[in-house]
Structure formats: C-alpha cells, structure tokens
Amino acid sequence: MIEYFINADLVLKSGLHIGSGKSSGVTDDPVRRCGDGRLLIPGRAIAGSLRTTATRLAPRLFGDEGICQALLPAKKQQQDKPCNCVVCRLFGDVHPVEQSTGESDKWDPAHPSQLWVYDAFAPANSHTFVRDGVGIQRQTGHAAENIKFDYEVVPRSAKFKLSMRLAYQLGAKEDTPIPDTTTEEKVTQLLVAALAEWVAGRGQLGGNVSRG
C-alpha cells in the first residue's frame, strides 16, 4: 500500500456556520462541537465540498474520462453500473454496485473512496458569535413575517487543523490486481487541483455560503 498524508491549516476567509441541529439556551442553532467543547468541521462536510470542486475540475483536466455520471440528467445515468470516473475513483463511486456476472456485459466493481478526510478541530480557546437571521418565503423570495431566528458563527481568520489520507492498495494478495498507475496518477492530480482551488480561496463550506 502507498499512502500520502496531508496536514494543513484550514483558515476561514469569512464566517462559518455548520449547525449541530439542536438549539441551546444561547442560540437557536449552535455550531458543531466535539465532546470536549472544541469547534469542529465534520470530515464528511470537507470531503463533500472537495468532491464538488473535483467534479467541476475533472472534465477540464481529463476530458470525457473526467465526466462523472452525477453531472448527467437522471435519465441518462447508468445507475446499474459503477461510474468509475476519476472523481469516483478518488471519493468513492456514485453507483456502488457489485461486479457484473453477465457474460455479455461485464464491468469492474465499484471503487471505494481512496481518500479519508478526518474531522477538523479548532483550538480550545476559539471564539464564536451569534448572528440574526430571518425566514424567507420560497414563493416570493421576501422575508417571512414572524419568522426570526439566530445562529452561531465561527468568525473569519479562525483556524482548523485539516488532516487527510490518500491510500492506494498495491496487490497485497495474489488475487488483488495492481491498479493502473496512469489512473492513480490522475487521481492524485485531481486531488492536488481541488486542493489548489482551496488554497486560492475558492473553497466553500457550511450553510449560507453566499454570505461566507
């Protein structure tokens, strides 16, 4: 197995809100925290945002090979087959189906994610603030009457410790095929390109991303 470990500081360029889904005595919608009270960003939220970025970049990097079925209309997707595009090789297949047993139409099984993204934690002394919000009427787009709430926000410039692991299985058993090195290079290239977008400040996390 070949493994790459990525450790970095994730620095907010604007306020961040990832809610816990439970109200508290301080605010209607507090941010996520771990058991010891530290602020956290769930790894699945980071991975989901990275995947969105990678899905957008892949067709530009690899042409048709980079087009994920998730980009296609539902009626054009082959949901009974794995997608096996470069994005799905990195983050896990959007159609996790088993290997075909038919003689006329065989395909490889769906690939699991090669990237593990861990929860990102802020220092114990990190601070937050509470921001007011109003409900919006879907039909008109205007503020709804008598629907006011507040939610907790992590301020800009806050830092979270980001950790990821990229792993390639290289045939530990005789019946385990060695992966195509060309494909693995593309997977690595895609991850680097997606992270470069984040380094350039074009990553988005949490709710209300239009406001930060």
Side-chain angles (χ1 to χ4, degrees):
M1 178 180 290
I2 295 179
E3 297 177 300
Y4 298 93
F5 294 90
I6 301 169
N7 297 294
D9 287 333
L10 197 160
V11 183
L12 304 184
K13 294 189 68 177
S14 59
L16 171 72
H17 173 77
I18 297 181
S20 65
K22 298 180 180 179
S23 61
S24 70
V26 177
T27 176
D28 297 322
D29 192 2
V31 295
R32 294 290 298 270
R33 286 178 168 82
C34 59
D36 61 8
R38 286 180 299 162
L39 304 172
L40 73 86
I41 301 175
R44 64 179 179 273
I46 299 171
S49 181
L50 274 175
R51 181 168 192 149
T52 298
T53 301
T55 302
R56 172 174 54 84
L57 293 174
R60 303 181 185 182
L61 293 173
F62 311 116
D64 291 344
E65 186 181 354
I67 299 177
C68 182
Q69 288 198 43
L71 294 175
L72 303 177
K75 62 182 180 181
K76 292 187 177 182
Q77 295 185 27
Q78 294 180 306
Q79 299 189 14
D80 58 341
K81 293 183 180 180
C83 177
N84 276 332
C85 70
V86 180
V87 179
C88 288
R89 290 293 295 267
L90 176 59
F91 292 97
D93 210 292
V94 293
H95 299 147
V97 297
E98 298 295 332
Q99 186 171 5
S100 170
T101 57
E103 293 296 328
S104 60
D105 189 16
K106 291 185 176 181
W107 61 78
D108 293 331
H111 291 277
S113 175
Q114 295 179 210
L115 181 68
W116 284 258
V117 182
Y118 303 99
D119 292 345
F121 296 94
N125 59 351
S126 299
H127 301 287
T128 64
F129 65 93
V130 175
R131 178 181 287 173
D132 290 328
V134 295
I136 301 297
Q137 292 181 343
R138 294 181 180 273
Q139 295 83 357
T140 64
H142 297 157
E145 293 184 4
N146 302 321
I147 303 181
K148 182 180 179 298
F149 61 95
D150 55 49
Y151 55 99
E152 191 177 16
V153 177
V154 184
R156 62 178 299 176
S157 300
K159 287 185 180 182
F160 290 79
K161 291 296 183 181
L162 176 65
S163 296
M164 292 182 284
R165 171 177 170 260
L166 180 65
Y168 302 134
Q169 185 69 40
L170 293 182
K173 300 179 181 179
E174 292 183 359
D175 59 348
T176 303
I178 297 176
D180 179 4
T181 54
T182 301
T183 300
E184 302 308 326
E185 289 174 1
K186 290 178 180 178
V187 166
T188 305
Q189 182 183 352
L190 180 60
L191 177 59
V192 170
L195 290 174
E197 286 288 285
W198 279 39
V199 172
R202 291 187 285 270
Q204 293 185 331
L205 280 171
N208 304 316
V209 291
S210 62
R211 295 181 58 185

